[in-house]
Structure formats: C-alpha cells, structure tokens
Amino acid sequence: MHNKNSGFLIFILGFMTFFVNGDIYSAAPLVIDIAKDLNITVSEAALSVTAYMLAFGAFTIFLGPLGDRIGKASIIRFCSFGTAIFSCLTLFAPNLGILITLRILNGALAAGIMPVSVAIIGQNFEEKKQHKAIAILMGIIFLGGASATTIGGVISYVNSWRTVYFSYGIAELLGAFLILFFVKKMPNTLNHLNYIDIYKSCFLEKQLIRFLLVLFFSGFFVFGSFTYTGELINQLMDINIFYIGLLLSLFGLGALLGAFLSESVEKKLTNKTCIIAGIGGCISMYSLSNTASLWIIGLSVFSFGTFFLVLHSLVVTTTQNVMPQMKGTVMALISFSVFSGSSMGIIVFKKLMEEGNIITAYKCFSVGFLCLGILATFFIYFQNTNQLQNVVRHKV
C-alpha cells in the first residue's frame, strides 16, 4: 500500500489493538473486586486472568498460519467481532466458571488480532517504510497496555469490574466495524495449510530462530520486570495506586515516542541502533530502581518505553522479512516468543524478589536488557551482511 490510505490503515488497526491489549492488562486492578463480587478468593479470581493469557498464547500459533492461508483480513474481521462480543458478555458472568469460559474465548479470538495486525502492516507497506509503520502500531499497542491499569482502575472505582470489560468490549466492537468496512481483503500467501510442514520450515530457518530467541528475552527482561513496576514504585514512594497507574502509563507514551523516532534513529545509527537502545534501556531501568525522586521515576519509565520500542520494533521488522511470504506465521511465532518470555520472566523476577529484594531484581534485569541489545546488534548485523552478499551474488 503506497497511497493516502496507509495512515488510515495504521489508525484503524491501532485503534483495535489499543483496546485489545488494554483488555489484557486492565484485569490487574480488578482481581480483588472480582473476588468480592463472586464471593471467591483472590487466587481463584486470578484464574480468569491466567485463562485469558494461556488461550491467547496457544491460539496465536493456530491463527497465524491460518491467516496466511485464507487471508489476514478474513481472520482479523472474525476475531475482532468475536473478542468484542465475549468482552461485552462478561458483564453478565454469574460465577467464576462462566467468567473463565468467557475469558478463554475472549483470549483465543484476541490472538488473531494483534499479531495479524502487524502482519497486515508488513504486507501492505514497502520494505523501506515497514519499520516506521510497524513501530507506530506497536507503540499504540504498548500504550494501550500501559494505560489499561489506570483506565481499568478508574472505571472500576466509579462503577464495577464488569463495566471495565463491557467498556472495552464496546470499543472493540467499534473497531471491528472499522476493520470490516475499511480493511480490504488480501490474497493468501500459502497454498496449503499443513501446520507440521509450516512450522518445520520455520524452525529450519536459523536466522529466524536467532531473532525469536532475542524476542523471547525481550519479553523476559521487559515484561517480566514491568509486571512488578507498580510494586517497586510503591516501595520507593508509597503513593496512591491511581498515581502509580499514571506513572506506568508513561511507559506507553515513551513507546509511542520511540515509534515515531525509530526510523530516523535507525538511519543515523544503522547497525548501532540496538546496542544504543540497550544501553539507554539499561540506564533507565537502573535509575528507576535507584531513586526516591518522583520526577526521576517518571522520566525513567518514559525513557525505558522509548528505548525498548526502538529496539523491539527493529527486531520485529527484521524478523518478519526473514520469511516474507509467511508474515502471519512469523508474527505468530514472534507473539508466542514474547508471551513465553514474559511468563518466564515474571516467574524468575518473583524468585529473585523472594531471595533478595525488588530493587536488586530490577538491577539484574537492567543488565539483562543491555545484553539483549548487544545480542540483537550482532544478529541484525549478520542478517544485513547475508542479504548484501546475496544481492552481490544475484548481480554476478
């Protein structure tokens, strides 16, 4: 797509993914209210959150190749209406069993929206414009997740946890209609759908596996630690949960800034982009865990979002172009890698907290993010070198 509708496509997909990702993270402040309303324990209420995440991770692997086979627009249309409907139906959940069932269906269908949206952008933009377009979409996605805690907390405080899910469902329904009318059908890029053969070909591609490893650790170090950032800020400042939510939203705003800066940063720094982002992210995380100043905390959260998005968007764009004919499948693997890394990071970070303290855990993860930037730099350099050699061979 090389016309005036390109920006509108990003807006539509950004609108939808903002609320879908927010639907995931808005649950964080709701667990206690869910437990009180349904007369269950907090740990039982948390099962509804886990159910959504597990369904999302599992169905990503299923829906990615399906989008390549029957068309990405068809997948995202169906999944958008489905996830919106099940979000709205949560308003009427009478008990934990039905709530978990609705959240499983909700998560399974949401799995066909965010990865497929990025794949649609990758398929509709020429290669030199892909990075910026994907970065902007991802910035909007992360802003939706980062602001969800505040949005969910405010709506829940004014009304109830049920209204939070219903509100996100209504917004998703509007997004579904926008996608239905304005996202055009695209040709399929796979002639046959054989999951074993498809993923076998992916895992035989060494370059793809390298980048998936980077993305796994991106989820591990970033979202593994970000999950506990609210607790860290509470220990450092002892402030109201509402203000903690506002501070966490700065991560999303920083990511959005990183999205708009990513293309120009990559042009200026070329092969040094990821290592500079790794250094900046490391300093931001370390500063966040080593201060009692509200201003430094806010600046650290904001700058970390910026550095992370610059690094992450470049790695995602590069990974997509390893197997350009299978962007939906590759995005499914990308999403699964980040999701798996996030889950493992949460577990490891919690273990570090239990053995030491949250500040020490943050400092360890800040060094990990620096290592991530170094690793990404080497892999992207080798990828670019191989592409250049292939071009030379082709000309000869």
Side-chain angles (χ1 to χ4, degrees), residues 236-286:
L236 293 172
M237 298 296 297
D238 190 24
I239 57 177
N240 186 281
I241 186 66
F242 174 75
Y243 295 107
I244 290 177
L246 291 178
L247 286 170
L248 295 180
S249 298
L250 291 175
F251 176 87
L253 292 174
L256 199 57
L257 175 63
F260 286 101
L261 293 177
S262 59
E263 185 179 38
S264 58
V265 168
E266 171 60 12
K267 287 180 180 178
K268 291 180 180 180
L269 298 178
T270 59
N271 293 323
K272 304 181 186 70
T273 302
C274 287
I275 195 166
I276 296 299
I279 293 170
C282 175
I283 293 172
S284 298
M285 289 184 75
Y286 188 88

Side-chain angles (χ1 to χ4, degrees), residues 9 49 53 69 77 80 103 108 127 140 172 182-184 198 203 209 227 264 278 292 295 312 314 320 329 335 367 379:
L9 177 64
V49 180
M53 298 295 285
R69 178 65 186 93
R77 287 174 179 178
S80 294
R103 294 303 283 170
E127 189 169 340
I140 295 171
E172 289 163 354
F182 296 108
V183 177
K184 297 179 180 179
I198 288 170
F203 288 118
I209 298 303
T227 302
S264 58
W295 290 103
H312 191 74
L314 179 57
Q320 268 207 335
T329 303
S335 180
V367 175
F379 288 164

